[in-house]
Amino acid sequence: MTPIYLDYNATTPIDPAVREAMLPYLGEWFGNPSSSHAQGRAWADAIEDARGQVAEMLGAAPSEIVFTAGGTESNNLAILGTMTREASSTARHVVISSIEHPATIAPADFLERQGYAVSIVGCDKSGTVDAADVRAALRPETALVSILHANNEVGSMQPIREIADACHEQRTLMHTDAAQSAGKVPVRVDDLAVDLLSIAGHKLYAPKGIGALYVRSGTQLDPVLHGAGQERGFRPGTENTAYIVGLGVAAELITNGLAEAQQHMQAMRDRLHAALASAMGEGLSVNGMDAERLPNTLSVNFPHIVGQELLERTSDVFASTGAACHSGTTKLSATLAAIGLDESTARGTVRLSVGRHTTAKEVDRAAQSLFAAWRELHAAS
Ligand SMILES: Cc1ncc(COP(=O)(O)O)c(C=O)c1O
């Protein structure tokens, strides 16, 4: 039987329409968008079309979109690009949260090693950062706040607008990592009032290795890479035209179909939860249950068992765990630690994330498989 993929927060497949649009740029027809002849101009036009499609998805102007190689690069460009401009000033303080992806934590750690100050704001037990805590962490010398829009593990959404408003009461820029939220909920830069926003292609049915950074007009940013000046100098290097075209089409699919996809994913996620809860009774708890959550994410704690063993036994379900268990010790992910999950509960955490084409049949089969494996493991423990 075909395995049931419930790991859409890890990555999504490439949508057939996206692949179709990319193919001409991967065949015999080739060009460098910087060439001034007609072939080069055609490739440059394709990039500008895609820029318009991504901008439309985000409610931005096309000139505010910079193509990158994915979510990690977008976050690095936003964080390092902002802070290196401040290298010789006193504004050398950055604020992040305790539930960031490593693509934010690592550049912040890097800055700290270079002598910048970094503050980490915690969250409540449902995985939500309080805007008042961010406000309290702001200092006159805070140049940037970077807080993700939706957490990748528990799916909790963050009060980005409120945080951005607090930042803008002083000279502080606001960046949000929207790698998980784009394509699942509306992500509009003016509603969020952010200065910088990252997206990752492979979370929204475009390929891996492509992404974008929204840079609000007028925002001062240094490039991280230095080269020939493509992407208005923010991201030099010959453009990955095929993938940029793919990201554009993926964005257009979202612009046209988000409401339906959001509703469908939520229905599938809730069906999965209901099926597991009715089989298992009260033993099953859900992380982030009290938070406003992504419509597709269900982070569940299977009691008395180890999530990793459960997924090994459930070979027809592909999902992720939240804690790594090695020789009797458990290492919680940063997010599970931040929400205060105890070690024994976190051992049983499994992140199930549905996609826009997940079916009710798949969800029902997955719930049965997971429950059967849980029962066997529990009986053997
Ligand atoms: C919240 C978040 N930010 C950033 C990334 C990194 O994106 P990419 O894999 O495109 O570098 C991910 C991917 O897991 C993510 O979930």
Side-chain angles (χ1 to χ4, degrees), residues 70-72 101 152 177 179-180 200 202-203:
T72 301
H101 188 273
N152 42 303
D177 173 355
Q180 287 295 342
H202 73 108
K203 311 288 187 188

Side-chain angles (χ1 to χ4, degrees), residues 270-290:
D270 291 347
R271 186 180 177 108
L272 180 60
H273 181 198
L276 285 170
S278 84
M280 300 189 52
E282 289 190 352
L284 189 82
S285 58
V286 175
N287 300 311
M289 193 60 188
D290 297 331

Side-chain angles (χ1 to χ4, degrees), residues 334-357:
T335 298
L336 295 187
I339 64 172
L341 215 60
D342 62 87
E343 226 178 79
S344 75
T345 308
R347 280 155 69 87
T349 304
V350 173
R351 179 189 69 183
L352 303 160
S353 47
V354 304
R356 60 189 188 208
H357 301 301

Side-chain angles (χ1 to χ4, degrees), residues 58-278:
L58 300 175
S63 59
E64 296 173 312
I65 303 300
V66 177
F67 291 113
T68 67
T72 301
E73 188 187 317
S74 295
N75 286 2
N76 273 263
L77 179 55
I79 296 167
L80 302 181
T82 304
M83 298 310 291
T84 52
R85 279 192 80 83
E86 305 294 348
S88 56
S89 84
T90 52
R92 288 163 57 89
H93 177 232
V94 56
V95 177
I96 65 169
S97 82
S98 56
I99 52 167
E100 298 301 316
H101 188 273
T104 292
I105 299 169
D109 284 351
F110 172 77
L111 286 172
E112 203 164 31
R113 290 196 299 278
Q114 309 303 310
Y116 290 78
V118 177
S119 298
I120 301 177
V121 174
C123 66
D124 65 16
K125 52 184 195 336
S126 66
T128 309
V129 171
D130 188 337
D133 292 342
V134 180
R135 185 185 285 274
L138 292 178
R139 305 177 191 165
E141 67 272 22
T142 310
L144 177 73
V145 171
S146 178
I147 297 201
L148 82 186
H149 190 200
N151 176 261
N152 42 303
E153 289 186 58
V154 304
S156 52
M157 307 277 308
Q158 307 307 318
I160 298 302
R161 173 70 197 228
E162 244 184 289
I163 297 170
D165 287 346
C167 290
H168 295 151
E169 284 170 19
Q170 62 174 66
R171 181 194 158 281
T172 298
L173 294 174
M174 176 72 199
H175 166 247
T176 192
D177 173 355
Q180 287 295 342
S181 53
K184 296 174 187 145
V185 293
V187 174
R188 310 285 292 174
V189 291
D190 284 347
D191 293 345
L192 297 172
V194 289
D195 303 292
L196 299 148
L197 179 144
S198 303
I199 61 166
H202 73 108
K203 311 288 187 188
L204 44 79
Y205 300 83
K208 295 154 190 52
I210 185 71
L213 180 67
Y214 158 78
V215 183
R216 186 174 289 278
S217 174
T219 304
Q220 302 292 309
L221 197 67
D222 274 348
V224 171
L225 299 175
H226 300 270
Q230 290 91 343
E231 294 297 288
R232 289 179 296 127
F234 286 129
R235 208 290 188 163
T238 302
E239 300 88 339
N240 187 354
T241 308
Y243 280 45
I244 289 172
V245 166
L247 183 62
V249 173
E252 188 171 70
L253 292 174
I254 290 164
T255 300
N256 296 333
L258 178 64
E260 201 184 324
Q262 187 176 348
Q263 213 175 22
H264 176 74
M265 289 190 285
Q266 184 157 340
M268 291 304 108
R269 191 270 312 270
D270 291 347
R271 186 180 177 108
L272 180 60
H273 181 198
L276 285 170
S278 84

Side-chain angles (χ1 to χ4, degrees), residues 192 321 374:
L192 297 172
T321 56
W374 174 78

